[in-house]
Amino acid sequence: MIHFALLISRQGKVRLTKWYTPYPQKQRSKVIKEVSTLILARGPKLCNFVDWQGCRVVYKRYASLYFCMCIDPADNELETLQIIHHFVEILDRYFGNVCELDLIFNFHKAYFILDEILIAGELQESNKKAVLRLVTAQDSLVEAAKEEASSLSKIIAQATK
Amino acid sequence: MDTVEKIVEDFASDIAMSPFSSGTRLRDMIRAIRACKTAAEERAVVRRECAAIRAAISENEPELRHRNMAKLMFIHMLGYPTHFGQMECLKLIAAAGFPEKRVGYLGLMLLLDERQEVLMLVTNSLKQDLNHSNQFIVGLALCALGNICSAEMARDLAPEVERLMRSREVNTKKKAALCSIRIVRKVPDLAENFMALATSLLKEKHHGVLISVIQLCTELCKANKDALEYLRKNCIEGLVRILRDVSNSSYAPEYDVAGISDPFLHIRVLKLMRILGQGDADCSEYMNDILAQVATKTESNKNAGNAILYECVQTIMGIEATSGLRVLAINILGRFLLNRDNNIRYVALNMLMRAITVDAQAVQRHRTTILECVKDADASIRKRALELVFLLVNDTNVKPLTKELVDYLDVADPDYKGDLTARICSIVEKFSQEKLWYLDQMFKVLSLAGNHVKDDVWHALIVVLSNASELQGYSVRSLYRALQAYGEQGSLVRVAVWCIGEYGEMLVNNVGMLEGEEPITVTESNAVDAAEVALNRSSRFPSTSERIKQIVAHNKENIALELQQRSIEFSSIMQRHQSIRSSLLERMPVLDEASYLVKRAATTQATISSEKPAPAVTPGGLKLPNGVAKPTAAPLADLLDLNSDVAPATTAASTTTAPSFFLQDLLGIGGTNSSMAGVPSSASTDILMDLLSIGSSPSQSGPLAPNFSPPGQAETKPVPAIPEAIDLLGSLSSSSSLSAETKPVPAIPQAMDLLDGLSSATSVSGLNNTAHPSITAFQSATLKITFDFKKQPGNPRETTIHATFTNLTSSTLTDFIFQAAVPKFVQLRLDPASGNTVPASGNGSVTQGLNVTNNQHGQKPLAMRIRMSYKVNGEDGLEQGQVSNFPSGL
């Protein structure tokens, strides 16, 4: 299983954290610090796996962002790499050529997408389109609710005039 | 300029805002935070935002709630505390609308973890949402439950989740299946409720559902034996069919990854097959065909294909596969190992480690390639390869393998040497068939990486050396040669100096008159040892004793306190006690190998279970002739006590006084030595000292004493005459050279007293010039900490601090950790403490070395903040303090 997923920028700034194993809040920042220093120090041509505290961190760099997932040593590292790529491809399709800024200003969207890909640290959906369909369907639900609210407030405003 | 203006603008708008409307939008807040130039600015912006959010929370404004929650999540990601927003999550989840719930659940997963009690409050809302008519709301609830539910919630909500697995919506079905994984992990008893349902869902067509359900099955097998049996009977056919369908399926754009249809599904099925086939021949046979097909047909030019092959090999190795299939798997690994992609090589090594139990022969075939990987540039690969080599070693291949590793040691990265050295040493120790080979390898390792060799390794080497009488001459010559070439390797110098001291005459007889050079080759840090060696020499080579006297005389004025002290001691031995010198400096008795091994095993156990109180020592345990070093101020009395146990001989008292005084001194048992006593876990570092049983206090050697029979010498003899009494101690003097490093420096005034007025006035002043008085760095009701200082000669910036921790309470402190922080201009290095248990009532103490480098020496004084954490009676304790009373000039 995936214990946690992390997204860190090259400067070590956290862009997304998702915990599937309960780490107390205090320990989380320690984990993030340890893992990010471990990964940021590695050269470009080395393999994408690092052993860390009895677990294995699989990471991959896309442009200025490092996508990291911590798995059990018995898990398939190559598949985890594929899951990371799966996530990145979906982000890319959702945002249209995703960049770090998209993930900063729309970090909640990135979380919503991840929640459609992973639950309980396990893979949920291997079909990228299905994930996108689910996320956009929920987005439109939110839009509809917003419009309804604004039209409602207009009606109220008109009625009270 | 633009950004600056923007900050100013942001500032202005923030100030203008009324405190009750957290007016900025999420986007604006993120922008403001990103525009911050310094951490302080960022903190200020976050503080302002948090204040506004708190105000909004207390105002209870529902419209802004979900925007504030989004802001809080961002602030949380930056690492600021956001606990005050936790209740807001619950309110959002309880709201009716989808947007509120969506943000609420996200906040719940991000800001809370399952340990928080707030989480229990959400159970009711979750239950309602799981029964909601909108599938997306059900989906949100399932996702949250799957990611953070606790055992109680799992029990409460399992029936809902079970029902949702039967839903018609695929989205709900797969989420419910994954949610059940978490439930089963939290409450394994619930596995039975899910197994029939999971099996029936394997007939689904939708990949998302299949992947989720297969993972659920895997989890059920892990959780419950009955479930494993049930699934073996009922789902193996379904799995084989799924795998066949997906691997034979034609191009499906939705699931295609680099030409392979749904690698994720492949891998999940293979993984479950491994669990089902393990130890079950029938199941395994059923899978053979499809596994062979996947192993041969999968393309291996892309990561997705390799991931499947990797999983497939693991499954073949895990189940009761046919030999043909195994060969296929090993061949795939061989191909992986030769691959140029580091990731592929990494997993190959990983896999070979597991394959070695199945087919060691096949793995041996790849030995050369694996050895190449030990030398890889990638630390992850090196680590795997080294572990694998360690598993590969056997009696037949140990010599070539060790040679390769030792050769590589010469060129290896400095940070890698520690690991590599530890591995080589344990291989050499484990597989040494002949002593000569063992010694040779150890000398090589010491020469190439002596600084990385652990203490217990070279202690063991010395024990072996001491027992191998026929190889001592060879060893001492090899070491001498090595010493000249690699004088900077700490452990090598220690071992070599010890050997030269002990077996120096073998060096001389065979190689000629080389001994005069010896003290010069020794590095300064070890000059203490050298001086002692020289002393040993002087008794055995009368011709060179003149020269040695010079060295000793020279060292008398040396800046290093310990060295100076020893020199003075030696000179007094040489000048005043000519008659006893030769017996005093007799060669050390052969070390008892068996008892050392027992002891080494015992200390490793002792460090594991160091909490156990040391059993009281029976008087019989003190029959050791070397047991003089009791932590009392009057060792002589002890010595006599000991003697009187055996045979009363009180008349000797007055005549033995003088020599035993300086002997005591020689052994370094000043007042400070008592601080060494009663620290059971210090035994690991002081093991050699223990072995020689000098300085071993009752509590230290207590548990081990019965196993340890001292070298046969003067055991039960009555000791009425002086020469024999000294003989009894004779073996101790030479050993002090070894213990010198582990022992604390005796405090100066005491040393002076004990010197029996031998030292001249000049040396007294010399001492005062260079030494710094000890200080009490910290004292509370529980703890007292004293610092002793030692300066590195020639380097005024560096100070070695020897910290002694004494427990003033009547209960033992366990898990004791000492931490220190220093200002930026100072560098600090902490050595490992002698133990983590501080015995009660000052009945012994823990010591720790600190190395401080003051980069502004002479301009700024040393300062230090310290923190001690410990457990007393099972409760945590924490104390802090500042040390500002350092003596000047540090």
Side-chain angles (χ1 to χ4, degrees), chain B residues 439-499:
Chain B
L439 292 174
D440 267 342
Q441 303 309 315
M442 287 310 294
F443 295 159
K444 273 190 211 158
V445 172
L446 283 173
S447 309
L448 294 171
N451 290 330
H452 302 280
V453 174
K454 296 253 159 46
D455 282 352
D456 59 334
V457 172
W458 67 261
H459 294 168
L461 174 65
I462 283 183
V463 174
V464 171
L465 267 175
S466 141
N467 281 284
S469 55
E470 70 287 355
L471 292 171
Q472 282 160 356
Y474 169 77
S475 304
V476 74
R477 283 191 298 282
S478 309
L479 283 168
Y480 180 74
R481 240 173 281 128
L483 193 59
Q484 283 179 316
Y486 305 100
E488 76 285 0
Q489 303 287 359
S491 301
L492 175 72
V493 175
R494 286 187 197 107
V495 175
V497 165
W498 187 88
C499 274

Coordinates of all heavy atoms in Angstrom, one line a residue, chain B residues 439-499:
Chain B
L439 N 43.4 -12.6 9.7 CA 44.2 -11.4 10.1 C 44.6 -10.6 8.9 O 44.5 -9.3 9.0 CB 45.5 -12.0 10.8 CG 45.3 -12.7 12.1 CD1 46.6 -13.3 12.6 CD2 44.8 -11.7 13.2
D440 N 44.9 -11.2 7.8 CA 45.3 -10.5 6.6 C 44.2 -9.5 6.2 O 44.4 -8.4 5.9 CB 45.6 -11.5 5.5 CG 47.1 -11.8 5.4 OD1 47.9 -11.0 6.0 OD2 47.4 -12.8 4.8
Q441 N 43.0 -10.1 6.1 CA 41.8 -9.3 5.7 C 41.6 -8.1 6.7 O 41.3 -7.0 6.3 CB 40.6 -10.1 5.5 CG 40.7 -11.3 4.6 CD 41.2 -10.9 3.3 OE1 40.8 -9.9 2.7 NE2 42.2 -11.7 2.8
M442 N 41.7 -8.5 7.9 CA 41.4 -7.4 8.9 C 42.5 -6.3 8.8 O 42.2 -5.1 8.9 CB 41.4 -8.0 10.3 CG 40.2 -8.8 10.7 SD 38.6 -8.0 10.3 CE 38.7 -6.6 11.4
F443 N 43.7 -6.7 8.6 CA 44.8 -5.7 8.5 C 44.5 -4.8 7.3 O 44.7 -3.6 7.3 CB 46.2 -6.3 8.3 CG 46.6 -7.1 9.6 CD1 47.5 -8.1 9.5 CD2 46.0 -6.8 10.8 CE1 47.9 -8.8 10.6 CE2 46.4 -7.5 11.9 CZ 47.3 -8.5 11.9
K444 N 44.1 -5.4 6.2 CA 43.8 -4.6 5.0 C 42.6 -3.7 5.2 O 42.7 -2.5 4.9 CB 43.4 -5.6 3.8 CG 44.5 -6.1 3.1 CD 44.0 -6.8 1.8 CE 44.9 -8.0 1.4 NZ 44.2 -8.9 0.6
V445 N 41.6 -4.2 5.9 CA 40.4 -3.3 6.2 C 40.9 -2.2 7.1 O 40.6 -1.0 6.9 CB 39.3 -4.1 6.8 CG1 38.2 -3.1 7.2 CG2 38.7 -5.1 5.8
L446 N 41.7 -2.5 8.1 CA 42.1 -1.5 9.0 C 43.0 -0.4 8.3 O 42.9 0.8 8.6 CB 43.0 -2.1 10.1 CG 42.2 -2.8 11.2 CD1 43.2 -3.5 12.2 CD2 41.3 -1.9 12.0
S447 N 43.8 -0.9 7.3 CA 44.6 0.0 6.6 C 43.8 1.0 5.7 O 44.1 2.2 5.7 CB 45.6 -0.7 5.7 OG 46.3 -1.7 6.5
L448 N 42.8 0.4 5.1 CA 42.1 1.2 4.1 C 41.0 2.0 4.7 O 40.6 3.1 4.2 CB 41.5 0.3 3.0 CG 42.5 -0.5 2.1 CD1 41.8 -1.5 1.3 CD2 43.3 0.5 1.3
A449 N 40.4 1.5 5.8 CA 39.2 2.2 6.3 C 39.2 2.1 7.9 O 38.2 1.8 8.5 CB 37.9 1.6 5.8
G450 N 40.4 2.2 8.4 CA 40.5 2.0 9.9 C 39.6 3.0 10.7 O 39.1 2.6 11.8
N451 N 39.3 4.1 10.1 CA 38.5 5.1 10.8 C 37.0 4.6 10.9 O 36.2 5.2 11.7 CB 38.6 6.4 10.2 CG 39.9 7.1 10.4 OD1 40.6 6.8 11.4 ND2 40.4 7.8 9.4
H452 N 36.6 3.7 10.0 CA 35.2 3.2 10.0 C 35.0 1.9 10.8 O 33.9 1.4 10.8 CB 34.8 3.1 8.6 CG 34.9 4.3 7.8 ND1 34.0 5.4 7.9 CD2 35.8 4.8 6.9 CE1 34.4 6.3 7.1 NE2 35.5 6.0 6.5
V453 N 36.1 1.3 11.2 CA 36.0 0.1 11.9 C 35.4 0.3 13.3 O 35.9 1.1 14.1 CB 37.3 -0.7 12.0 CG1 37.2 -1.9 12.8 CG2 37.8 -1.0 10.6
K454 N 34.4 -0.5 13.6 CA 33.7 -0.4 14.9 C 34.6 -0.9 16.0 O 35.4 -1.8 15.8 CB 32.4 -1.1 14.9 CG 31.4 -0.6 13.9 CD 30.3 0.1 14.7 CE 29.5 1.1 13.8 NZ 29.2 0.6 12.5
D455 N 34.4 -0.4 17.2 CA 35.3 -0.8 18.3 C 35.3 -2.3 18.6 O 36.3 -2.9 18.8 CB 34.9 -0.1 19.6 CG 35.4 1.4 19.6 OD1 36.2 1.7 18.7 OD2 35.0 2.1 20.5
D456 N 34.1 -2.9 18.6 CA 34.0 -4.3 19.0 C 34.8 -5.2 17.9 O 35.2 -6.2 18.3 CB 32.6 -4.8 19.2 CG 31.7 -4.6 18.0 OD1 32.1 -3.7 17.2 OD2 30.8 -5.3 17.8
V457 N 34.9 -4.7 16.7 CA 35.5 -5.5 15.7 C 37.0 -5.5 16.0 O 37.6 -6.6 16.0 CB 35.3 -4.9 14.3 CG1 36.1 -5.6 13.2 CG2 33.8 -5.0 13.9
W458 N 37.6 -4.4 16.3 CA 39.1 -4.5 16.6 C 39.4 -5.0 17.9 O 40.4 -5.6 18.1 CB 39.8 -3.2 16.2 CG 39.5 -2.0 17.1 CD1 38.7 -0.9 16.7 CD2 40.1 -1.6 18.3 NE1 38.7 0.0 17.7 CE2 39.5 -0.4 18.7 CE3 41.0 -2.2 19.1 CZ2 39.9 0.3 19.9 CZ3 41.3 -1.6 20.3 CH2 40.8 -0.4 20.7
H459 N 38.4 -4.9 18.8 CA 38.6 -5.6 20.1 C 38.7 -7.1 19.9 O 39.6 -7.8 20.4 CB 37.5 -5.3 21.1 CG 37.4 -3.9 21.5 ND1 36.4 -3.3 22.2 CD2 38.3 -2.9 21.3 CE1 36.6 -2.0 22.4 NE2 37.8 -1.7 21.9
A460 N 37.8 -7.6 19.0 CA 37.8 -9.0 18.7 C 39.1 -9.4 18.1 O 39.7 -10.5 18.4 CB 36.6 -9.4 17.8
L461 N 39.6 -8.6 17.2 CA 40.8 -8.8 16.5 C 42.0 -9.0 17.5 O 42.8 -9.9 17.4 CB 41.1 -7.7 15.5 CG 42.5 -7.7 14.8 CD1 42.6 -9.0 13.9 CD2 42.7 -6.5 14.0
I462 N 42.0 -8.1 18.5 CA 43.1 -8.2 19.5 C 43.0 -9.5 20.3 O 44.0 -10.1 20.6 CB 43.0 -7.0 20.4 CG1 43.6 -5.8 19.6 CG2 43.8 -7.2 21.7 CD1 43.7 -4.5 20.4
V463 N 41.8 -9.9 20.6 CA 41.7 -11.2 21.3 C 42.2 -12.3 20.5 O 43.0 -13.2 21.0 CB 40.2 -11.4 21.7 CG1 40.0 -12.8 22.3 CG2 39.7 -10.4 22.6
V464 N 41.9 -12.3 19.2 CA 42.4 -13.4 18.3 C 43.9 -13.3 18.2 O 44.6 -14.3 18.4 CB 41.8 -13.2 16.9 CG1 42.5 -14.2 15.9 CG2 40.3 -13.5 16.9
L465 N 44.4 -12.1 18.1 CA 45.9 -11.9 18.0 C 46.6 -12.5 19.3 O 47.6 -13.2 19.2 CB 46.2 -10.5 17.9 CG 46.3 -9.9 16.5 CD1 46.5 -8.4 16.6 CD2 47.5 -10.5 15.8
S466 N 46.0 -12.2 20.4 CA 46.6 -12.6 21.6 C 46.6 -14.1 21.8 O 47.5 -14.6 22.4 CB 45.9 -11.9 22.8 OG 45.7 -12.7 23.9
N467 N 45.7 -14.7 21.1 CA 45.6 -16.2 21.2 C 46.5 -16.9 20.1 O 46.8 -18.0 20.3 CB 44.2 -16.7 21.1 CG 43.5 -16.5 22.4 OD1 43.7 -17.3 23.3 ND2 42.7 -15.4 22.5
A468 N 46.7 -16.2 19.1 CA 47.4 -16.8 17.9 C 48.9 -16.6 18.1 O 49.5 -15.8 17.5 CB 47.0 -16.2 16.6
S469 N 49.5 -17.3 19.0 CA 50.9 -17.1 19.4 C 51.9 -17.3 18.1 O 52.8 -16.6 18.0 CB 51.4 -18.0 20.5 OG 51.1 -19.3 20.2
E470 N 51.5 -18.2 17.3 CA 52.4 -18.5 16.1 C 52.4 -17.3 15.1 O 53.2 -17.2 14.3 CB 52.1 -19.8 15.5 CG 50.8 -20.0 14.8 CD 49.6 -20.0 15.7 OE1 49.7 -20.0 16.9 OE2 48.4 -20.0 15.2
L471 N 51.3 -16.5 15.1 CA 51.2 -15.5 14.1 C 51.5 -14.1 14.6 O 51.4 -13.1 13.9 CB 49.7 -15.5 13.5 CG 49.4 -16.7 12.7 CD1 47.9 -16.7 12.4 CD2 50.2 -16.8 11.4
Q472 N 51.9 -14.0 15.9 CA 52.1 -12.7 16.5 C 53.2 -12.0 15.8 O 53.1 -10.8 15.5 CB 52.3 -12.8 18.0 CG 51.0 -13.0 18.7 CD 51.2 -13.6 20.1 OE1 52.3 -14.0 20.5 NE2 50.1 -13.8 20.8
G473 N 54.3 -12.7 15.5 CA 55.4 -12.1 14.9 C 55.0 -11.5 13.5 O 55.3 -10.4 13.2
Y474 N 54.3 -12.3 12.7 CA 53.9 -11.9 11.4 C 53.0 -10.7 11.5 O 53.1 -9.7 10.8 CB 53.1 -13.1 10.8 CG 52.4 -12.7 9.5 CD1 53.1 -12.5 8.3 CD2 51.0 -12.5 9.5 CE1 52.4 -12.1 7.2 CE2 50.4 -12.1 8.4 CZ 51.1 -11.9 7.2 OH 50.4 -11.6 6.1
S475 N 52.1 -10.8 12.5 CA 51.1 -9.7 12.6 C 51.8 -8.4 13.0 O 51.4 -7.3 12.4 CB 50.1 -10.0 13.8 OG 49.5 -11.2 13.5
V476 N 52.7 -8.5 13.9 CA 53.3 -7.2 14.4 C 54.1 -6.6 13.2 O 54.1 -5.4 13.1 CB 54.1 -7.4 15.7 CG1 55.4 -8.1 15.4 CG2 54.3 -6.1 16.4
R477 N 54.7 -7.4 12.4 CA 55.4 -6.8 11.3 C 54.5 -6.3 10.2 O 54.7 -5.2 9.7 CB 56.3 -7.9 10.7 CG 57.6 -8.2 11.5 CD 58.6 -9.0 10.7 NE 58.1 -10.4 10.4 CZ 58.0 -11.4 11.3 NH1 58.4 -11.2 12.5 NH2 57.5 -12.5 10.9
S478 N 53.4 -7.0 9.9 CA 52.4 -6.5 9.0 C 51.9 -5.2 9.5 O 51.7 -4.2 8.7 CB 51.2 -7.4 8.8 OG 51.7 -8.7 8.5
L479 N 51.5 -5.1 10.7 CA 50.9 -3.9 11.3 C 51.9 -2.8 11.3 O 51.5 -1.6 11.0 CB 50.4 -4.2 12.7 CG 49.1 -5.0 12.8 CD1 48.9 -5.4 14.2 CD2 47.9 -4.1 12.3
Y480 N 53.1 -3.1 11.6 CA 54.1 -2.0 11.6 C 54.2 -1.4 10.2 O 54.2 -0.2 10.0 CB 55.5 -2.6 12.0 CG 56.5 -1.5 12.0 CD1 56.5 -0.6 13.0 CD2 57.5 -1.5 11.0 CE1 57.5 0.4 13.1 CE2 58.4 -0.5 11.0 CZ 58.4 0.5 12.1 OH 59.4 1.5 12.1
R481 N 54.2 -2.3 9.2 CA 54.3 -1.8 7.8 C 53.1 -1.0 7.5 O 53.2 0.1 6.9 CB 54.5 -3.0 6.9 CG 55.8 -2.9 6.1 CD 56.0 -4.2 5.3 NE 56.5 -5.3 6.1 CZ 56.0 -6.5 6.1 NH1 54.9 -6.8 5.4 NH2 56.5 -7.4 6.9
A482 N 52.0 -1.5 7.8 CA 50.7 -0.8 7.5 C 50.7 0.6 8.2 O 50.2 1.6 7.6 CB 49.5 -1.6 8.0
L483 N 51.2 0.6 9.4 CA 51.2 1.8 10.2 C 52.0 2.9 9.5 O 51.6 4.1 9.5 CB 51.8 1.5 11.6 CG 51.6 2.6 12.6 CD1 50.1 2.8 12.9 CD2 52.3 2.1 13.9
Q484 N 53.1 2.5 8.9 CA 53.9 3.5 8.2 C 53.2 4.1 7.0 O 53.3 5.3 6.7 CB 55.2 2.9 7.8 CG 56.1 2.8 9.0 CD 57.4 2.1 8.6 OE1 57.5 1.2 7.8 NE2 58.5 2.7 9.1
A485 N 52.4 3.3 6.4 CA 51.7 3.8 5.2 C 50.4 4.4 5.5 O 50.0 5.4 4.8 CB 51.5 2.6 4.2
Y486 N 49.7 3.9 6.5 CA 48.3 4.4 6.8 C 48.2 4.9 8.2 O 47.3 4.5 8.9 CB 47.3 3.3 6.5 CG 47.4 2.7 5.1 CD1 48.0 1.5 4.9 CD2 46.8 3.4 4.0 CE1 48.1 0.9 3.7 CE2 46.9 2.8 2.8 CZ 47.5 1.6 2.6 OH 47.6 1.0 1.4
G487 N 49.1 5.8 8.6 CA 49.1 6.2 10.0 C 47.9 7.0 10.4 O 47.7 7.2 11.6
E488 N 47.0 7.4 9.4 CA 45.9 8.3 9.8 C 44.7 7.5 10.2 O 43.6 8.0 10.6 CB 45.6 9.3 8.7 CG 44.9 8.7 7.5 CD 45.8 7.9 6.6 OE1 47.0 7.7 6.8 OE2 45.2 7.3 5.6
Q489 N 44.7 6.2 10.1 CA 43.5 5.3 10.3 C 43.5 5.0 11.8 O 44.3 4.2 12.3 CB 43.6 4.1 9.5 CG 43.6 4.3 8.0 CD 42.3 4.8 7.4 OE1 41.3 5.0 8.1 NE2 42.3 5.1 6.1
G490 N 42.5 5.5 12.5 CA 42.5 5.4 14.0 C 42.6 4.0 14.5 O 43.5 3.7 15.3
S491 N 41.7 3.1 14.0 CA 41.7 1.8 14.6 C 43.0 1.0 14.3 O 43.5 0.2 15.1 CB 40.5 1.0 14.0 OG 39.3 1.6 14.3
L492 N 43.5 1.3 13.1 CA 44.8 0.6 12.7 C 45.9 1.0 13.7 O 46.6 0.2 14.2 CB 45.2 1.0 11.3 CG 46.6 0.5 10.9 CD1 46.5 -1.0 10.6 CD2 47.1 1.2 9.6
V493 N 45.9 2.3 14.0 CA 46.9 2.8 14.9 C 46.8 2.1 16.3 O 47.7 1.7 16.9 CB 46.9 4.3 15.0 CG1 47.9 4.8 16.1 CG2 47.2 4.9 13.7
R494 N 45.5 2.0 16.7 CA 45.3 1.4 18.0 C 45.8 0.0 18.1 O 46.5 -0.5 19.0 CB 43.8 1.4 18.4 CG 43.4 2.8 18.7 CD 42.0 2.9 19.2 NE 41.5 4.3 19.2 CZ 40.7 4.7 18.3 NH1 40.1 3.9 17.4 NH2 40.4 6.0 18.3
V495 N 45.3 -0.8 17.1 CA 45.7 -2.2 17.1 C 47.2 -2.3 16.9 O 47.9 -3.1 17.6 CB 45.0 -2.9 15.9 CG1 45.5 -4.4 15.8 CG2 43.5 -2.9 16.1
A496 N 47.8 -1.6 16.0 CA 49.2 -1.7 15.8 C 50.0 -1.3 17.0 O 51.0 -2.0 17.4 CB 49.6 -0.8 14.6
V497 N 49.6 -0.2 17.6 CA 50.4 0.2 18.8 C 50.3 -0.9 19.9 O 51.2 -1.2 20.6 CB 49.9 1.6 19.3 CG1 50.3 1.9 20.7 CG2 50.3 2.6 18.3
W498 N 49.1 -1.4 20.0 CA 48.9 -2.5 21.0 C 49.9 -3.6 20.7 O 50.6 -4.1 21.6 CB 47.5 -2.9 21.1 CG 47.2 -3.9 22.2 CD1 46.8 -3.6 23.4 CD2 47.3 -5.3 22.1 NE1 46.6 -4.7 24.1 CE2 46.9 -5.8 23.4 CE3 47.6 -6.2 21.1 CZ2 46.9 -7.2 23.7 CZ3 47.6 -7.6 21.4 CH2 47.2 -8.1 22.7
C499 N 49.9 -4.0 19.5 CA 50.7 -5.2 19.1 C 52.2 -4.9 19.3 O 52.9 -5.7 19.7 CB 50.5 -5.5 17.6 SG 49.1 -6.6 17.4

